[in-house]
Amino acid sequence: MTQPILELNDICYSYHSLKGETDALSHISFQVKKGEFLAIVGPSGCGKSTLLSIIFGLIAPESGEVHFPRDARNEEDEHSQLKNCPRIGYMLQHDHLLEWRTIYKNVILGLEINHQVTPEKTARAMELLKDYGLYKFKDKKPGELSGGMKQRAALIRTLILDPEILLLDEPFSALDYQTRLSVSSDICSIIRSAKKTAILVTHDLSEAISLADRILVLSKRPATIKCDIPIHLTVTGTSPLASRNAPEYQGYFNQLWKEISDESHMPTPPDD
Ligand code: ADP
Ligand code: MG
């Protein structure tokens, strides 16, 4: 986990509309190492989703650049259709499963679009459905599944395309608290065991501390990087739920709360 797979250099972005200009991002620079799990937190409306859209290439920065250093990439990337651009998976808050397709058909949607429906890939889809407890539900429609199951299906749909970098924009926020804990824990172990590089936007500080190797705190809009906090938890076991019992956890929580509340005028945290 040494070389950067992604570099952002001095990114600025504003939205322009008839109502005027909204400055969203101001001089954002950071690197993400291969295999790293980065969380991004910041006040609502500060520009977090805009930042992910720029990394994904949905919108172009006004100034600055997004760079994917080649050294950190796999050899097969030489043949990638978009030169210098790694495969990026983007998972949003809502699962965006298509209601008229079965879970299996939803999971292989990206393969169909990319003309990659091969026996190996469909076998892999079945394997992932089994691993994540969805095999029995593969012929059901999304409406017949719980929120957590649908979010797992959306993750499999993203993972089956074998992305090198996963962008996760508040993927658990539509779930109830208990489901959220177990789905975020599952999804984290899936991402770690697949050794993916991940960038998670979340407003849940506990989730950020328990899942990430490093947390970027953004200021209020236009977002700048307020601080960059590496997370080291001494815990036995790797489950994100267990990490909430680490002795360092409360210190990180208080530090993050202070940084965020300075930005959004939140009250001081409750005592332990
Ligand atoms: P976050 O994800 O941190 O909540 P966003 O990146 O979605 O914030 O938005 C940052 C700012 O840009 C917000 O003030 C939002 O209202 C504004 N914004 C987002 N999308 C658009 C758009 N398409 N046109 C104009 N303003 C936008
Ligand atoms: Mg957002």
Side-chain angles (χ1 to χ4, degrees):
M1 203 169 91
T2 48
Q3 298 156 314
I5 190 169
L6 167 68
E7 279 179 17
L8 274 74
N9 297 320
D10 210 23
I11 299 284
C12 297
Y13 189 80
S14 306
Y15 289 100
H16 301 273
S17 70
L18 289 177
K19 287 187 189 154
E21 197 174 290
T22 307
D23 291 333
L25 304 173
S26 175
H27 303 284
I28 301 270
S29 299
F30 64 91
Q31 296 187 339
V32 183
K33 289 175 186 160
K34 193 172 181 184
E36 193 171 29
F37 197 127
L38 177 76
I40 299 179
V41 299
S44 181
C46 76
K48 302 180 293 298
S49 297
T50 305
L51 187 56
L52 290 194
S53 296
I54 285 178
I55 295 171
F56 191 60
L58 277 179
I59 52 181
E62 270 180 341
S63 61
E65 56 178 28
V66 179
H67 182 55
F68 301 101
R70 290 202 70 77
D71 293 0
R73 315 262 315 277
N74 300 325
E75 271 177 28
E76 64 181 278
D77 300 330
E78 295 291 335
H79 310 294
S80 105
Q81 288 177 338
L82 288 168
K83 276 230 168 292
N84 298 322
C85 191
R87 291 182 301 275
I88 303 180
Y90 200 171
M91 193 170 150
L92 302 163
Q93 180 174 355
H94 297 288
D95 53 66
H96 296 286
L97 297 175
L98 301 176
E99 191 48 51
W100 63 91
R101 291 174 74 105
T102 62
I103 290 301
Y104 172 71
K105 282 283 190 182
N106 265 290
V107 159
I108 63 160
L109 180 66
L111 294 178
E112 284 183 10
I113 292 170
N114 289 288
H115 307 291
Q116 291 178 10
V117 186
T118 60
E120 292 77 27
K121 293 275 188 185
T122 50
R124 176 80 185 126
M126 289 299 185
E127 204 178 296
L128 288 168
L129 285 165
K130 277 183 193 148
D131 285 354
Y132 307 130
L134 291 177
Y135 187 74
K136 274 199 308 201
F137 301 90
K138 68 180 174 24
D139 299 319
K140 302 263 189 227
K141 298 284 173 58
E144 298 174 82
L145 268 65
S146 69
M149 288 165 130
K150 286 193 280 193
Q151 224 34 12
R152 282 194 190 103
L155 182 72
I156 297 175
R157 183 186 55 190
T158 310
L159 284 178
I160 194 77
L161 293 168
D162 200 19
E164 290 163 84
I165 303 177
L166 267 168
L167 306 179
L168 306 158
D169 195 352
E170 310 217 25
F172 317 122
S173 55
L175 306 175
D176 64 72
Y177 185 67
Q178 233 167 348
T179 312
R180 181 187 180 113
L181 282 180
S182 81
V183 173
S184 63
S185 171
D186 282 0
I187 284 184
C188 177
S189 33
I190 294 166
I191 291 170
R192 291 219 184 263
S193 65
K195 296 193 169 55
K196 299 294 180 195
T197 307
I199 303 179
L200 168 74
V201 163
T202 178
H203 60 259
D204 182 332
L205 304 185
S206 306
E207 190 170 277
I209 301 165
S210 57
L211 299 181
D213 298 313
R214 193 177 135 215
I215 302 178
L216 287 185
V217 181
L218 300 186
S219 70
K220 59 178 184 278
R221 194 176 63 74
T224 55
I225 295 181
K226 248 200 117 188
C227 51
D228 184 338
I229 307 172
I231 302 292
H232 299 289
L233 299 174
T234 45
V235 270
T236 42
T238 52
S239 110
L241 276 176
S243 23
R244 296 184 190 218
N245 295 321
E248 302 85 0
Y249 173 86
Q250 194 63 41
Y252 285 127
F253 189 92
N254 292 345
Q255 183 184 1
L256 284 166
W257 186 288
K258 182 170 182 331
E259 297 289 355
I260 298 264
S261 54
D262 283 352
E263 290 304 310
S264 40
H265 310 293
M266 290 203 295
T268 47
D271 292 336
D272 306 357

